[in-house]
Amino acid sequence: MNWIKVIGQDELPPNGRKVVKVEQRNILLLNHNNQVFAVENSCPHLKLPLQKGKITDDGAIVCPFHRSAFDLTSGNPTEWTPFPPGIGKVMGMISKEKGLSVFPTRVEEGSIWVGM
């Protein structure tokens, strides 16, 4: 695994989020409950951006478009395209259910590092 320094720790305040480019990938950094998470900034359903997605109390990010939800630690889907009502399940058939790419993080010497 290659650890890459992406930003200073002070650039990601509590409950903050920031998209960074790491090895040609757009990675969404999240500071949730004083823990730093790094996930692909692209919903696996239709590749739409996740940066404005809601973070749930149980630690999942919800896609703002079709409301698929993914565990921030594992990337596993906890909900797959429940929106819009009535056609959400049909929309879910467009792309088979799959997980969100997640990356390990560490905070060291005032910087946030992502493992690729």
Side-chain angles (χ1 to χ4, degrees):
M1 179 178 312
N2 186 26
W3 286 97
I4 301 166
K5 185 179 358 180
V6 291
I7 61 172
Q9 183 179 4
D10 60 342
E11 294 179 63
L12 192 66
N15 301 313
R17 53 184 75 198
K18 184 174 184 99
V19 177
V20 295
K21 191 83 137 175
V22 183
E23 293 187 349
Q24 307 306 314
R25 297 175 96 156
N26 288 319
I27 305 296
L28 175 60
L29 298 174
L30 301 155
N31 185 345
H32 177 67
N33 289 338
N34 295 317
Q35 186 173 355
V36 176
F37 297 93
V39 301
E40 190 87 40
N41 186 38
S42 177
C43 179
H45 175 229
L46 293 176
K47 306 298 182 206
L48 297 169
L50 288 173
Q51 69 196 59
K52 294 189 182 203
K54 176 186 172 192
I55 305 299
T56 65
D57 291 338
D58 61 347
I61 187 165
V62 180
C63 176
F65 300 97
H66 298 111
R67 299 189 188 151
S68 294
F70 305 91
D71 182 88
L72 287 174
T73 303
S74 68
N76 292 333
T78 58
E79 183 104 46
W80 189 252
T81 67
F83 189 81
I87 62 169
K89 294 300 176 192
V90 173
M91 297 275 307
M93 291 183 220
I94 291 171
S95 177
K96 187 175 179 176
E97 183 174 320
K98 53 190 154 264
L100 176 66
S101 295
V102 298
F103 306 92
T105 62
R106 70 182 190 207
V107 178
E108 190 174 276
E109 299 175 1
S111 294
I112 296 173
W113 299 70
V114 174
M116 301 296 285

